[in-house]
Amino acid sequence: MRDAIKGAGRASFHLLGGAAIALLCCLGVGLALFTAVLAVTVIGAGVLPETVLLLRRLAGWERRRTAALTGTPVPEAYLPLEGPLPARVRTAVTDPGTARDLIWAAGQLLYGLVLWWVSLLLWVPALLVDGVVAGLAGRRPVALPLIGALAGLEAEWSRALLTPTPAAARDAALAARVEQLTATRAGAIAAHGAELRRIERDLHDGAQARLVALSMRIGLARRVYDSDPATARKLLDDAQTQAEEALAELRHVVRGIHPPILTDRGLTGAVRALAASSGLEVAVSVTGLADSPAVHPEQPEEPERPEQPPAGDGERPSADLRPTTGPVAPTTTGPPAPTADAPRAPAAVEAAAYFVVAEALTNAAKHSGATRASVALTRAPAALRVRVADEGRGGAEAGERGGSGLVGMRRRVAALDGTVRLTSPEGGPTVIEVELPCVW
């Protein structure tokens, strides 16, 4: 009996909320009709989109209430009300979601109030009947559950009226996709512009300045070659030094565009080289990717650290991340070892993954205070997953509020339609998970 009363009380509270929304719908429908009449005369055109937004908020409130009662979310599909006023008015009028919201508001105005009054009328006889049946006869209540059935009936009617049609859902998903692609394109253009400015600055301040000095020294050497061979020889030596420094600057600029190590050693070898030179104790785990190709003859082999499995999602990385010095015994439960004949990701995807790892390890070394980190590269059926974790102090900010490195990382990944998830609570650990779509 006690449980039945509690259930009926929750149902009555839900029906009370429905009655309150019904009263708001009465105001909303009246306001919508009033603004529609004004919009015909062009006077209320500016108010129409705001009225539609208010109606969407009421429908969203009912969706959340219905989902809370039934445990199943109610989908929504709206076209975005953006752009100049004529476009917003046109979208508000032609959006199928607007018509469904108006139909729901009219229906909620009727059944919301009716079901609430019926539930009030049921309470007194339900308590009397169930008091006898459950209290004296010792049987299950039979009348109080009817109030819960009324709440369920209201939720089902709201779900039926608020669920968008498949065509409307497709149109809304397409509009959201276009909006997302517009944002990622803008980010990619901004990142491309910043990259061009960085390259121009590096060339102007570095290689170009050294080449100008080189030209001047060669010119001076030509002038004094006949009269003072010793001075000319010294100037030529200085010119050779300038040429070597200019070549080093150019190599640095080229690495910023597309690291040659990616071509020479592949993503696996490039990430291991990053781990070895990061200043941290980094455990690298590779699953399903191609092993490092042979090292380029002109490029010396860089030290690599043994692989160790990364920590699980949402957990602090393992305390035993220090690289071992002896041979590691093979296991059958760990991730499969990379093989030389495994497919490689496209060059753009490898470059994005490389720069993600480089930026994450640089941030960990500079700002986190961590001494150990882990990097995991995983080949998924249609994606390349990158996970970088450190045991630092945490507190890295997500979104556009983060540092320029994190913003650049998000833009680079978004340009490839990828996703970035940053978890960095105060006190650590910091985990960056990136998924890059990839056709293998």
Side-chain angles (χ1 to χ4, degrees), residues 112-174:
L113 293 174
V114 170
L115 294 178
W116 162 245
W117 285 110
V118 171
S119 67
L120 288 181
L121 295 176
L122 279 178
W123 264 103
V124 174
L127 289 176
L128 293 177
V129 172
D130 288 337
V132 174
V133 172
L136 300 179
R139 297 180 181 179
R140 296 175 62 88
V142 294
L144 284 174
L146 294 177
I147 301 176
L150 292 177
L153 183 62
E154 185 200 34
E156 290 303 319
W157 284 349
S158 295
R159 179 183 298 276
L161 293 175
L162 290 175
T163 300
T165 62
R170 285 194 301 269
D171 292 343
L174 180 60

Side-chain angles (χ1 to χ4, degrees), residues 48-427:
L48 184 59
E50 303 303 325
T51 304
V52 172
L53 286 177
L54 176 62
L55 194 60
R56 289 182 180 184
R57 293 190 182 96
L58 284 176
W61 186 11
E62 181 63 20
R63 285 188 178 93
R64 290 190 293 272
R65 292 178 61 253
T66 302
L69 182 68
T70 62
T72 305
V74 182
E76 68 176 24
Y78 296 116
L79 297 178
L81 289 176
E82 298 177 347
L85 180 60
R88 297 178 65 199
V89 172
R90 184 169 55 254
T91 302
V93 173
T94 59
D95 186 5
T98 303
R100 296 192 70 85
D101 286 350
L102 285 173
I103 295 173
W104 161 79
Q108 181 74 28
L109 180 59
L110 296 176
Y111 65 75
L113 293 174
V114 170
L115 294 178
W116 162 245
W117 285 110
V118 171
S119 67
L120 288 181
L121 295 176
L122 279 178
W123 264 103
V124 174
L127 289 176
L128 293 177
V129 172
D130 288 337
V132 174
V133 172
L136 300 179
R139 297 180 181 179
R140 296 175 62 88
V142 294
L144 284 174
L146 294 177
I147 301 176
L150 292 177
L153 183 62
E154 185 200 34
E156 290 303 319
W157 284 349
S158 295
R159 179 183 298 276
L161 293 175
L162 290 175
T163 300
T165 62
R170 285 194 301 269
D171 292 343
L174 180 60
R177 180 62 174 163
V178 170
E179 184 179 2
Q180 178 189 11
L181 291 177
T182 302
T184 56
R185 182 184 177 218
I189 292 175
H192 179 67
E195 189 73 7
L196 288 179
R197 289 191 295 272
R198 182 191 66 80
I199 294 172
E200 189 276 335
R201 184 176 61 252
D202 292 345
L203 289 175
H204 181 273
D205 298 341
Q208 181 178 338
R210 296 188 187 280
L211 289 175
V212 170
L214 171 63
S215 177
M216 294 177 61
R217 290 182 183 277
I218 293 177
L220 291 174
R222 290 180 59 188
R223 289 186 179 184
V224 301
Y225 182 77
D226 294 332
S227 60
D228 191 353
T231 302
R233 188 178 299 109
K234 183 178 183 304
L235 289 172
L236 289 176
D237 291 340
D238 293 342
Q240 182 179 5
T241 303
Q242 293 282 349
E244 293 173 353
E245 292 176 351
L247 285 175
E249 292 283 348
L250 288 174
R251 291 193 187 99
H252 176 73
V253 174
V254 170
R255 290 192 194 98
I257 300 173
H258 184 82
I261 192 172
L262 280 176
T263 304
D264 297 338
R265 301 178 59 183
L267 180 60
T268 302
V271 167
R272 285 174 176 162
L274 280 175
S277 61
S278 65
L280 304 173
E281 297 178 2
V282 183
V284 179
S285 172
V286 181
T287 304
L289 296 179
D291 203 354
S292 306
V295 180
H296 194 278
E298 298 179 359
Q299 185 178 17
E301 175 73 16
E302 297 187 47
E304 298 178 3
R305 300 184 184 273
E307 301 175 16
Q308 293 187 17
D313 291 344
E315 298 178 358
R316 178 175 288 273
S318 172
D320 188 16
L321 288 177
R322 296 184 176 87
T324 58
T325 56
V328 180
T331 62
T332 57
T333 58
T339 58
D341 58 349
R344 286 184 58 174
V349 175
E350 284 193 344
Y354 175 86
F355 284 114
V356 164
V357 175
E359 181 63 33
L361 292 180
T362 299
N363 289 344
K366 286 185 177 180
H367 308 298
S368 71
T371 58
R372 291 173 296 188
S374 65
V375 178
L377 303 175
T378 305
R379 173 193 171 192
L384 172 65
R385 296 193 180 111
V386 182
R387 184 179 186 273
V388 184
D390 67 71
E391 291 186 328
R393 62 178 64 94
E397 291 187 351
E400 296 296 328
R401 297 179 302 170
S404 59
L406 290 175
V407 173
M409 178 194 302
R410 290 184 178 277
R411 288 177 176 174
R412 185 183 292 271
V413 173
L416 298 176
D417 205 18
T419 58
V420 179
R421 186 174 67 176
L422 172 65
T423 305
S424 183
E426 292 293 338

